[in-house]
Amino acid sequence: MKKTFVLAALLTAFASGATAQDKPKVDPATLEAVTKAMWPKVPEGWEKRVSFDETQKQCSEHRNEPPGAVFDQIKAREIATVKFPADGNVLGDWKSGIRIANDGRGGTFTDRPMTNGANCYACHQLDLAQLSYGTLGPSLHLYGKNRGFKPEEAKATYAKIYNAMSVMPCSMMPRFGYHNFLTEQQMKDVTALLFDPESPVNK
Amino acid sequence: MLKRGKRAWFSWALAASLAGGALAQAPQPIDTEKELEKYRAMINDPMSNPGYLNVDRGEVLWSTKRGAKNVSLETCDLGQGPGKLEGAFAKLPRFFEDVGKVMDLEQRLFWCMQKIQELDTADIVRRRFGGPGRFSDMEDLVAFIANKSNGMKFEVPLAHPKEKEAFAIGEVLFHRRSDFMDFSCATCHAEDGRRIRLQGLPNLIKPGKAVQETMGSWPTYRVSQSQTRTMQHRLWDCYRQMRTPEPIYLSDGLTALTLFLVKQAEGGEIQVPSIKR
C-alpha cells in the first residue's frame, strides 16, 4: 500500500508540474471573500459537517504533498483524534459491512437525513464478485489474509478508517470517524469486512 | 420530435443492457468500453439528441421581447460585440469592462436580463435547472449560444489582470479540500485513468485530450436526468457529491473554476450540446 501511495504522490507531483510554472499567487483575503460568496451561510444542522480545518488547509496548500515538518505535524494532530471502541473490539459483522461498503447514499445537500453509506466500492476493489468498483484507491482484495488476520492489524485498519490521515497525512480517503460520517458500529462492520476470514474480501 | 426522443431512449436502453450484460458475465471487462464508445457515437447524432430542443427554444428566447423594458436580448454583448454570438462561448469566461469583473456565459446573460430587459430574475434563478415540466431559460439560452461556437476552439489568453486572478482562484479552489469528506476536485480529477465505480474520471489538471473533450462537450443533454445541463449545473453536482453545502448559483468562485478548466482545455474543440449518460 505504501508503494501505491508513493507512486500516487510521484504521479501527482509530475502532473501538477504542468500548471505550476504559470501559477500566480492569490491574495488570501480575496480567496476568503470568494468562498464566502459561494457558501454564504452554514445550512441549518450542517454545523458539524462544514469545515476547513488546519489539516485541510495544509493539505490544500501543499497539494497533498506536505513537506516533512508539516507531514509530521498533521500526523501527530490526526493520531490524537482517533477513538477506539470502549471495549477494544474493532470487529463487527462483515455481512453488514458489505452492505455499508456498497451504499453510496447520504450526506449530500439533496439527501434527507439518513444513515450515510461508506461507499468503499466507489474507490476500492474489495471482493471478486463486485465488478463495479473504482480505482482511486488500491485494491483491498485479500486485505485481512495478507495481514495474517492479526488483531493489531485490524486495530490499525479501524484507525485508518476512523482517520486516514493519522496513518497517511493528506491521504485522499475521507476521515470517516473524525467527521462523524460513519458510526462506530459501521466502522466496526467495515473492519470486519476486511478482516473476517469468512468475508468474500479474503476469498 | 417524438421520433427523435424515442430513438434516443431506445439507444440508451440498448447500451444499458449491453453494459449490464457485460457486468453479469466474466470479470474481464471484455469490450464494455468499446460498446459504450459505439453507443456514444450513436446517440451523438444531432437528429437524436434532445439537447437540440433547448437550442431551438434558446433561439426564440434570445429574440423575444421581455421584461419591464419589453426588449429582446439581441443587444447583449457577450464579449464579441452587441448581439454577436459566433465564437463568443469559446472565449468565455472573460473580463467585462462595463461590470469590472470576469463573467461566465450564465453570469453575463443574467446581467443582460437585469440591465437590458429588467426581467424578473428571481424566476430565472428558480428555474435555473430544468426538471419535469419545468423549462430552464438559462439551459435553453446556453445551449443556443454555446452551439454557435461549434467547431471552434477554446481561447482564453488571460490578458486582463482580473482574468489572471480568476484563473489563480480557480486553481486554488480546484485543490481546496473541505467539509464532511475532505474532498476537493483534485481528489477525482488529478490523475489519468482513474474510475469511480465504473465511471471513468477525466484528468482535469493536465492540459490535453481528456480535459479538452470534457470541456468541449458541455452543455450536454444528460440522458440520466432527461435535461440539458450547463457547466454551472455540473459544478453544482460535483460539490453535491463532495458533500459540501450547496454552492450559490452564478457565484464568482464557480466562474473562477470554469475559467481554470477552460484554460486547461485551451485548443480543445467545442461540439455542443453533446449527449452523455
Side-chain angles (χ1 to χ4, degrees):
Chain A
M1 196 134 96
K2 251 188 196 153
K3 246 191 192 159
T4 316
F5 276 115
V6 172
L7 185 65
L10 277 173
L11 282 172
T12 313
F14 181 72
S16 52
T19 48
Q21 76 256 3
D22 56 340
K23 202 172 73 189
K25 283 263 174 265
V26 187
D27 167 39
T30 307
L31 197 65
E32 175 78 22
V34 167
T35 52
K36 190 82 197 157
M38 270 173 98
W39 298 286
K41 57 173 194 264
V42 176
E44 210 187 313
W46 277 59
E47 295 76 12
K48 282 188 176 159
R49 63 172 73 174
V50 171
S51 67
F52 188 47
D53 68 24
E54 197 51 33
T55 295
Q56 289 169 330
K57 259 180 222 165
Q58 288 174 319
C59 292
S60 302
E61 186 190 336
H62 296 289
R63 305 293 187 259
N64 300 316
E65 298 162 55
V70 180
F71 184 99
D72 295 342
Q73 199 183 41
I74 294 173
K75 193 162 177 172
R77 183 194 298 136
E78 299 304 315
I79 285 173
T81 71
V82 178
K83 288 190 200 89
F84 290 98
D87 65 359
N89 177 21
V90 296
L91 297 174
D93 170 16
W94 71 262
K95 285 180 185 157
S96 165
I98 205 162
R99 206 171 52 240
I100 296 163
N102 256 310
D103 183 1
R105 293 173 310 152
T108 76
F109 56 69
T110 52
D111 281 320
R112 58 184 166 72
M114 62 166 85
T115 307
N116 300 318
N119 210 11
C120 310
Y121 288 100
C123 301
H124 297 283
Q125 180 183 39
L126 286 151
D127 57 288
L128 296 180
Q130 176 57 276
L131 299 177
S132 175
Y133 62 86
T135 58
L136 284 162
S139 170
L140 305 178
H141 182 231
L142 303 178
Y143 193 89
K145 194 177 181 187
N146 287 343
R147 285 160 181 76
F149 300 114
K150 289 185 191 127
E152 63 271 25
E153 290 282 358
K155 203 180 162 211
T157 299
Y158 182 91
K160 166 105 192 175
I161 295 167
Y162 192 98
N163 187 336
M165 296 212 205
S166 70
V167 180
M168 185 59 173
C170 301
S171 162
M172 294 298 179
M173 185 165 140
R175 293 171 289 173
F176 291 106
Y178 168 81
H179 283 299
N180 289 304
F181 192 88
L182 298 178
T183 65
E184 182 180 290
Q185 188 58 49
Q186 284 180 306
M187 290 186 284
K188 284 170 70 171
D189 291 347
V190 172
T191 307
L193 177 65
L194 294 170
F195 272 90
D196 196 307
E198 292 310 308
S199 160
V201 167
N202 295 312
K203 303 279 186 189
Chain B
M1 285 307 136
L2 192 63
K3 238 183 186 171
R4 286 192 201 176
K6 259 192 188 157
R7 226 169 102 188
W9 278 110
F10 174 71
S11 315
W12 173 243
L14 179 68
S17 68
L18 283 174
L23 286 190
Q25 290 161 15
Q28 285 96 339
I30 351 169
D31 278 351
T32 307
E33 197 45 49
K34 250 188 205 156
E35 291 302 325
L36 282 172
E37 202 45 62
K38 267 195 247 167
Y39 156 66
R40 287 185 197 115
M42 198 157 64
I43 61 172
N44 219 3
D45 170 12
M47 291 309 288
S48 61
N49 181 350
Y52 278 82
L53 297 174
N54 298 81
V55 173
D56 292 347
R57 282 198 301 269
E59 184 171 17
V60 173
L61 282 173
W62 178 254
S63 56
T64 301
K65 290 178 179 168
R66 295 203 295 178
K69 290 195 178 166
N70 194 34
V71 291
S72 77
L73 283 167
E74 287 161 314
T75 59
C76 177
D77 183 352
L78 300 173
Q80 305 309 308
K84 192 156 179 342
L85 301 179
E86 277 71 23
F89 180 70
K91 293 174 181 167
L92 286 168
R94 55 164 287 152
F95 178 76
F96 286 90
E97 199 73 56
D98 50 11
V99 192
K101 64 181 225 176
V102 174
M103 298 172 122
D104 74 343
L105 178 54
E106 278 159 274
Q107 279 182 315
R108 186 62 181 176
L109 281 169
F110 192 77
W111 186 84
C112 286
M113 287 169 176
Q114 288 182 322
K115 296 287 163 190
I116 298 172
Q117 298 183 303
E118 291 187 8
L119 193 65
D120 171 16
T121 44
D123 177 53
I124 295 294
V125 172
R126 218 170 11 249
R127 293 184 291 116
R128 63 196 180 282
F129 306 139
R134 187 181 71 240
F135 291 143
S136 161
D137 290 7
M138 276 299 194
E139 286 171 351
D140 292 348
L141 282 163
V142 169
F144 166 61
I145 292 160
N147 177 257
K148 294 277 184 200
S149 286
N150 268 7
M152 298 180 196
K153 294 184 161 104
F154 283 119
E155 197 187 323
V156 279
L158 306 184
H160 196 278
K162 285 279 183 195
E163 292 171 351
K164 285 194 182 73
E165 185 189 48
F167 171 84
I169 291 169
E171 197 268 348
V172 170
L173 285 176
F174 190 88
H175 292 92
R176 185 181 189 271
R177 301 182 67 172
S178 71
D179 302 316
F180 216 10
M181 299 199 94
D182 300 312
F183 287 156
S184 74
C185 310
T187 305
C188 288
H189 297 290
E191 284 178 33
D192 290 343
R194 299 286 169 161
R195 299 193 322 240
I196 188 158
R197 288 280 184 161
L198 289 178
Q199 179 63 40
L201 298 162
N203 181 347
L204 302 177
I205 60 165
K206 193 179 76 178
K209 200 164 166 265
V211 64
Q212 285 176 342
E213 286 180 356
T214 301
M215 297 308 288
S217 57
W218 286 84
T220 188
Y221 180 80
R222 296 206 63 180
V223 177
S224 57
Q225 302 177 18
S226 310
Q227 299 292 332
T228 293
R229 298 305 194 193
T230 68
M231 192 42 58
Q232 284 276 337
H233 184 275
R234 177 60 270 182
L235 295 177
W236 174 88
D237 203 19
C238 280
Y239 277 115
R240 189 182 70 82
Q241 290 174 307
M242 284 155 69
R243 272 72 176 177
T244 71
E246 184 170 7
I248 297 291
Y249 182 61
L250 306 182
S251 52
D252 292 338
L254 296 177
T255 297
L257 258 177
T258 303
L259 181 61
F260 170 69
L261 293 171
V262 169
K263 185 67 186 171
Q264 300 303 102
E266 195 152 55
E269 190 181 308
I270 298 162
Q271 278 303 336
V272 293
S274 70
I275 185 162
K276 292 178 196 276
R277 104 197 128 80

